[in-house]
Amino acid sequence: MIRDMIKSAQVEAMKAGDKDRLAAVRLILAKLKDRDIELRTAANVPDDDIVVVEVLQKMGKQRRESIDMFKSGGRDELAAKEQAELDVIESFLPQQMSAEETTAAILAIKAEIGASSVKDMGKVMAVLKERHGQVIDMSKASGLVKAALA
C-alpha cells in the first residue's frame, strides 16, 4: 500500500516536473529494491508495509544525522538538500506517536512485564518495537524508556 503511494508519487513528480521530489522518490524506490533483493534469500519475509516503513525510517535517520553534521560544519546548502529529502521520506511514513502517547505505551509495557530498573530496558524496548515499531521513532523512545526505568 505504501509502496503503491511511492510509485504514484514518482509519476506525479515526473508529470509536474518536480526534479528534487522525483530524485528523492527514486532514491526511496532504489533502497526498496535493494531491500527486496536482500529478502529473496530470507527464511521468513515480513509484510510489505513493514519492510517499506523500516526502509523509510532508516533513510530518515540517516538524513537527520547528515543534517546535524552539515549544520555543525557550516554547510547549510547541503543541510537544506538533506532536509528536502527528509521531508519527502517522512511524507510516506505513517503518523508517528506523540511523546505523550509514547510515554503512555512505555509505562503500560513496563507495568505489563514488570520492569523495574534500567537492566530491563532491553526487554521493554523489544516489546515496544514489536508493538509500535512502525509509529515510534525508536531513537527517541530509547531516552523515554531510560527515563521511565530510572
Side-chain angles (χ1 to χ4, degrees):
M1 182 166 147
I2 299 173
R3 190 182 296 257
D4 295 334
M5 290 173 29
I6 295 170
K7 288 179 182 177
S8 66
Q10 179 184 21
V11 173
E12 290 170 16
M14 278 193 260
K15 288 181 180 179
D18 188 350
K19 293 183 183 194
D20 294 334
R21 182 169 175 81
L22 179 61
V25 171
R26 283 183 172 159
L27 191 62
I28 292 169
L29 289 171
K31 290 290 184 186
L32 288 173
K33 187 158 184 95
D34 288 346
R35 185 72 173 126
D36 291 343
I37 291 169
E38 288 175 20
L39 291 174
R40 284 184 190 166
T41 58
N44 56 344
V45 179
D47 182 46
D48 188 53
D49 276 352
I50 293 172
V51 172
V52 172
V53 169
E54 287 175 354
V55 169
L56 291 173
Q57 285 176 334
K58 184 175 181 182
M59 290 178 73
K61 181 180 179 196
Q62 291 170 340
R63 296 305 174 287
R64 281 186 216 92
E65 290 171 356
S66 296
I67 290 168
D68 291 341
M69 288 175 32
F70 286 140
K71 283 185 178 178
S72 67
R75 301 294 307 264
D76 292 333
E77 70 284 354
L78 293 175
K81 182 178 182 291
E82 291 289 319
Q83 183 63 50
E85 285 182 10
L86 179 62
D87 293 341
V88 172
I89 292 166
E90 287 179 341
S91 71
F92 297 113
L93 281 169
Q95 181 64 40
Q96 300 291 300
M97 289 174 69
S98 69
E100 295 80 25
E101 293 170 327
T102 303
T103 303
I106 290 168
L107 293 175
I109 291 170
K110 177 183 166 186
E112 180 183 323
I113 65 173
S116 59
S117 69
V118 179
K119 291 180 184 178
D120 299 320
M121 185 171 171
K123 295 176 190 173
V124 174
M125 289 294 289
V127 174
L128 188 66
K129 183 169 185 171
E130 177 185 319
R131 292 186 188 166
H132 307 288
Q134 291 190 334
V135 292
I136 289 181
D137 182 357
M138 294 307 288
S139 61
K140 292 177 183 173
S142 174
L144 294 173
V145 170
K146 190 177 281 187
L149 294 174

